[in-house]
Amino acid sequence: MAEEFLADCQRRNHTPATLSVYRSALLGPRTQTFLDDQAIATIGEFTAAHLQIYEGELRQAGLPVATVHQYHRVLKTFLGFCERQDFSVDTRVAEVEGPKLAQVEPSTFTVEQERRLVAGARSRRDKVLVEFMLKTGLRLSEVNSVEVDDIVDLGDRGAYIKVRQGKGRKDRHVPLDASMYRRLRLYVDRHRPTGCPALFPTTRGDGQPLTPQGLKALLVRLGKETGIHVHAHKFRHTFASRAIAAGVDPIALQRVLGHTTLTMVSRYVHYSPTDLLDAWQLRRV
């Protein structure tokens, strides 16, 4: 039945990354070993107690809580699918709560760190790339996919980046401030190789876009050379925090980030102690 579930997910246009997670959780060796050990041969034999036992074993095996939570969500989603297909399913599974995830405040770059990152980038492409990630909040895979034609200039009304088929297979528009747009145009017109659609091509001269692995390697090197802890999502956290601090409407920010709910937006937003103090002072005026 797992293959039918995966085929249905593919039919509904789930991303390859999502399908890979689902397949690993349902058909991977950990799950198969557990089913064999528990002598579970049918869907109806998998009970709420089994789900709890399995998650306990995953934790004992040293898997991070976030990974165990992922297994929890996938298994419950799969069993929900089976129930809709008229299979006998233990309805108590739906009542099992997943492991509680720690609420860790996302880290962001300081203004000084942002300056050091841009200054530490080796080439014109890399400098513009770092600024682009700070000013747009795009995901790593989305940065790799941006093409020159995705820069849309509306004249006096401003400019934006069209993100094609981002996470969740959704197109969206990300505004560009005037200074970022000018730097992009200068980079495209004077420093970027001609004849290739990618906004950030490789340095090999083959016209191919920078790969996710290449971008990760660039960020790792930049982190080592500047002494700053760098990862792709930290740029996104910083972008969201700066936007909220500047007074951007949360619903507008939700659209720009490409999230379906405001709950997801709140996870990215970071309030520094001074931000909180300023907000509290305004409340008391």
Side-chain angles (χ1 to χ4, degrees):
M1 197 60 192
E3 291 293 352
E4 287 84 348
F5 169 71
L6 293 170
D8 184 69
C9 291
Q10 188 169 30
R11 176 189 65 79
R12 290 184 286 123
N13 206 27
H14 282 46
T15 65
T18 298
L19 291 172
S20 177
V21 169
Y22 284 3
R23 178 173 292 279
S24 176
L26 294 173
L27 299 175
R30 291 185 184 277
T31 301
Q32 294 305 306
T33 298
F34 177 79
L35 295 176
D36 291 341
D37 290 345
Q38 298 291 323
I40 299 173
T42 67
I43 293 168
E45 294 173 355
F46 188 88
T47 66
H50 285 127
L51 179 58
Q52 293 172 316
I53 294 170
Y54 185 37
E55 291 175 4
E57 290 187 3
L58 292 175
R59 287 293 292 135
Q60 290 176 2
L63 270 66
V65 175
T67 302
V68 177
H69 194 274
Q70 189 175 72
Y71 272 83
H72 176 87
R73 288 188 296 105
V74 173
L75 288 168
K76 289 181 71 171
T77 300
F78 169 66
L79 291 170
F81 170 81
C82 293
E83 187 174 14
R84 292 192 297 274
Q85 302 303 310
D86 294 327
F87 280 82
S88 176
V89 174
D90 182 1
T91 56
R92 294 171 299 174
V93 168
E95 301 173 5
V96 177
E97 295 184 359
K100 188 174 182 179
L101 296 173
Q103 297 297 312
V104 179
E105 189 173 86
S107 60
T108 61
F109 298 116
T110 65
V111 174
E112 176 59 27
Q113 287 175 332
E114 291 181 36
R115 295 195 190 99
R116 287 167 54 196
L117 288 171
V118 174
R122 295 179 179 178
S123 66
R124 175 59 57 181
R125 183 204 66 176
D126 294 353
K127 290 181 183 295
V128 174
L129 176 56
V130 169
E131 291 182 281
F132 182 80
M133 293 180 69
L134 288 167
K135 296 294 185 179
T136 62
L138 266 62
R139 301 177 179 92
L140 185 144
S141 60
E142 295 168 345
V143 173
N144 294 121
S145 301
V146 174
E147 298 185 350
V148 174
D149 289 344
D150 294 328
I151 305 173
V152 181
D153 181 7
L154 297 180
D156 293 340
R157 297 183 62 189
Y160 65 86
I161 292 290
K162 182 172 183 179
V163 181
R164 303 177 185 273
Q165 297 292 286
K167 187 175 182 180
R169 304 287 194 185
K170 298 186 291 287
D171 289 353
R172 70 182 192 278
H173 301 145
V174 177
L176 292 171
D177 62 42
S179 61
M180 185 71 249
Y181 175 68
R182 287 194 297 270
R183 285 193 287 276
L184 279 176
R185 288 301 344 162
L186 182 64
Y187 160 71
V188 169
D189 294 340
R190 298 186 183 180
H191 302 284
R192 178 185 155 278
T194 58
C196 65
L199 180 59
F200 300 110
T202 66
T203 57
R204 296 191 299 268
D206 56 5
Q208 295 300 308
L210 184 66
T211 64
Q213 293 76 17
L215 178 51
K216 287 179 182 178
L218 187 157
L219 296 179
V220 168
R221 183 179 70 241
L222 189 60
K224 289 180 178 179
E225 294 177 354
T226 60
I228 300 170
H229 178 59
V230 177
H231 61 82
H233 243 54
K234 195 170 181 178
F235 290 85
R236 189 166 167 84
H237 298 161
T238 302
F239 168 79
S241 299
R242 298 279 187 272
I244 287 292
V248 172
D249 181 78
I251 294 178
L253 181 59
Q254 173 191 336
R255 297 290 182 88
V256 169
L257 289 172
H259 286 309
T260 55
T261 67
L262 284 172
T263 301
M264 291 299 296
V265 173
S266 68
R267 294 180 181 178
Y268 286 110
V269 177
H270 165 80
Y271 284 102
S272 69
T274 53
D275 291 333
L276 293 173
L277 288 171
D278 289 344
W280 194 256
Q281 290 298 325
L282 287 173
R283 170 186 174 275
R284 298 180 63 183
V285 171

